[in-house]
Amino acid sequence: MKVLGIDIGGTGIKGAPVDVATGRLTAPRYRLLTPRPAKPKPVAEVVAEVAAHFCWRGPLGITLPSVVKDGVVMTAANIDRSWIGTDARALFAETAGLRATVLNDADAAGIAEMTFGAGKGRRGVVVLLTLGTGIGSAVFLDGKLLPNTEIGHLEVKGKDAEERASDRARREKKWKWKEWSKHVEDYLEHVEALLWPDLFIIGGGVSKKHEKFLPRIRTRTPVVPAKTLNEAGIVGAALAARAEVPRRKR
Ligand code: BGC
């Protein structure tokens, strides 16, 4: 079964059809720039363009960098604030004629990692953290997601964790890997004290360079890089949408 996954980020909106049995993209990824400001209607129009590129009529999953409850956006840390309170599911239906499953971007990445990546077959408490513009989180117990955890915004040493442990902080503050990895370690220790995970999975673009910072991190909990990387959001969105398709239609 093929499902279209679309990942909405601060700079790009990218999508691809996904074979949900293997997690592979069945066509090259299509990416358009996120409109600025990234308000709901213009973003939905770009989402429609991505779906049209694949002539898509089937099931569809869409991620947003926000808490999403029952299709409604509740927070907007790194996107336009006008998303707060928007019924994203209704918006995509009205603007694009698309019936979509909408979920948090890190939750989607976590679903992909637990199904096809570093978390495959892992029981116990697994915490996936995406270190990017913001910090996204996905928490699993025995493979089942606790959605919208938002532990990227924990306060560590008096500041929102994103201000020191995100990849954006590393780049903006021009920190060396050694310096930044200490901030990531402080943050992971904080999460450990709260959740006592069995495994941390680090995702986000920076996890491609994991050998530069993960070996420096000393936590009680093992820390591994994500495997699905760039495509995690797209694949996870597709898997989440598949889970909502009534069984008889599969
Ligand atoms: C948002 C999360 C999102 C993460 C990664 C955070 O700022 O609050 O909802 O998952 O960024 O995009």
Side-chain angles (χ1 to χ4, degrees), residues 65-67 77-78 104-106 130 134-136 150 153 162:
S66 311
V67 167
N78 290 306
N104 172 264
D105 56 358
T130 59
I135 298 180
E150 292 291 318
H153 296 293
E162 278 192 1

Side-chain angles (χ1 to χ4, degrees), residues 126-198:
V126 178
V127 176
L128 171 120
L129 296 164
T130 59
L131 308 181
T133 308
I135 298 180
S137 62
V139 176
F140 295 83
L141 172 61
D142 292 341
K144 194 159 172 34
L145 174 71
L146 172 68
N148 295 313
T149 43
E150 292 291 318
I151 53 177
H153 296 293
L154 282 182
E155 190 180 309
V156 181
K157 296 190 175 166
K159 286 202 171 162
D160 186 317
E162 278 192 1
E163 289 182 39
R164 293 192 184 106
S166 64
D167 191 43
R168 173 169 61 186
R170 180 185 68 83
R171 283 184 275 110
E172 282 182 0
K173 300 194 169 120
K174 300 192 168 56
W175 279 327
K176 301 249 183 307
W177 289 105
K178 191 174 171 194
E179 210 172 350
W180 181 65
S181 48
K182 184 71 195 112
H183 292 305
V184 176
E185 185 180 87
D186 286 347
Y187 169 58
L188 295 184
E189 281 173 350
H190 216 79
V191 177
E192 269 186 322
L194 281 176
L195 296 174
W196 287 83
D198 298 296

